[in-house]
Amino acid sequence: MTQTDHPATAKASRRRSRWNATDLGLIAVFAALVAASALIAAIPVGGLGVPITLQTLAVMLTGLALGPARAFAAVGLYLLLGFAGLPIFSGGRSGLGVLAGPSAGYIIGFLFAATAVGWLAAVVLARTAGRTGKLRPILLFAAAMVSSIIFIHGLGILGMMVNAKLDFSKAFLADLAFYPGDIIKNVLAVSIALALHKAFPDLLLRRVRTADPRP
């Protein structure tokens, strides 16, 4: 590669890495998916009012399907609309007041979990591209579980300690009720994401290949 064509190649790579109309459409669609999942089959758990919803499924699917940047944008858009007053949090709640409730940590954790699992998914998909793919579902599930445990459950526990005035042991025990459902939802999220990537191979791998500096 000569010095004259390297800047042109780099410039073309930057153009390809920018978000286009398809990316913006995906961000909007997945933000709507996260919003809809908050309102479907919300089941209150315990006396704190933190419900079981399908949001973990939607949030993890967003990261697994879109990668870190677009997942951050999609979940961030959902949060901004909810904080602005749209009744799209669980139970039809809205506004900044949700940050004073026991579920605040879970809500904030969605943003970080989607970003983290998106980054891990990009790494897994890039490293397993062109292979048999038998290890890919296991690695993606592990990525989903690690991301949800650290960010959703970790911040969820912290939120209950701060806003519900629980000590760590009580908050931890309250959080355990969400694990069985989250395991199932992560399995479903990985299954759906794998189907999406099989049907649309460039959904995330295109961006991974564009960002890969190797020849």
Side-chain angles (χ1 to χ4, degrees):
M1 181 178 292
T2 65
Q3 289 182 342
T4 56
D5 63 352
H6 182 271
T9 302
K11 186 176 181 180
S13 178
R14 286 195 297 270
R15 282 200 301 265
R16 288 194 299 270
S17 65
R18 292 174 182 170
W19 287 343
N20 55 29
T22 300
D23 294 320
L24 297 178
L26 287 170
I27 290 169
V29 167
F30 276 86
L33 176 64
V34 175
S37 68
L39 306 175
I40 299 174
I43 304 173
V45 176
L48 294 177
V50 180
I52 293 176
T53 69
L54 295 178
Q55 272 193 292
T56 305
L57 169 59
V59 167
M60 304 313 286
L61 176 59
T62 298
L64 290 166
L66 301 186
R70 292 179 297 175
F72 180 90
V75 178
L77 175 60
Y78 159 73
L79 293 178
L80 286 175
L81 292 175
F83 293 148
L86 289 182
I88 53 177
F89 294 132
S90 61
R93 295 173 300 159
S94 64
L96 292 174
V98 297
L99 297 178
S103 61
Y106 293 102
I107 293 173
I108 299 301
F110 291 152
L111 182 64
F112 296 103
T115 306
V117 76
W119 180 80
L120 292 172
V123 173
V124 170
L125 291 174
R127 296 294 177 85
T128 59
R131 302 180 184 178
T132 57
K134 293 182 179 179
L135 193 60
R136 181 178 287 185
I138 298 174
L139 292 176
L140 290 178
F141 175 74
M145 286 305 304
V146 168
S147 300
S148 61
I149 289 172
I150 292 176
F151 294 106
I152 297 178
H153 291 275
L155 292 178
I157 290 172
L158 180 61
M160 288 189 286
M161 293 175 64
V162 172
N163 291 341
K165 309 302 180 185
L166 298 180
D167 58 36
F168 175 78
S169 60
K170 291 181 179 179
F172 179 79
L173 289 175
D175 177 72
L176 286 179
F178 298 102
Y179 271 86
D182 281 358
I183 292 173
I184 296 173
K185 284 180 279 189
N186 280 333
V187 169
L188 290 174
V190 169
S191 300
I192 297 170
L194 286 171
L196 287 174
H197 289 300
K198 183 177 181 180
F200 307 100
D202 285 346
L203 181 62
L204 179 54
L205 283 180
R206 175 182 63 84
R207 305 190 70 84
V208 174
R209 288 194 295 265
T210 299
D212 193 342
R214 294 175 297 177

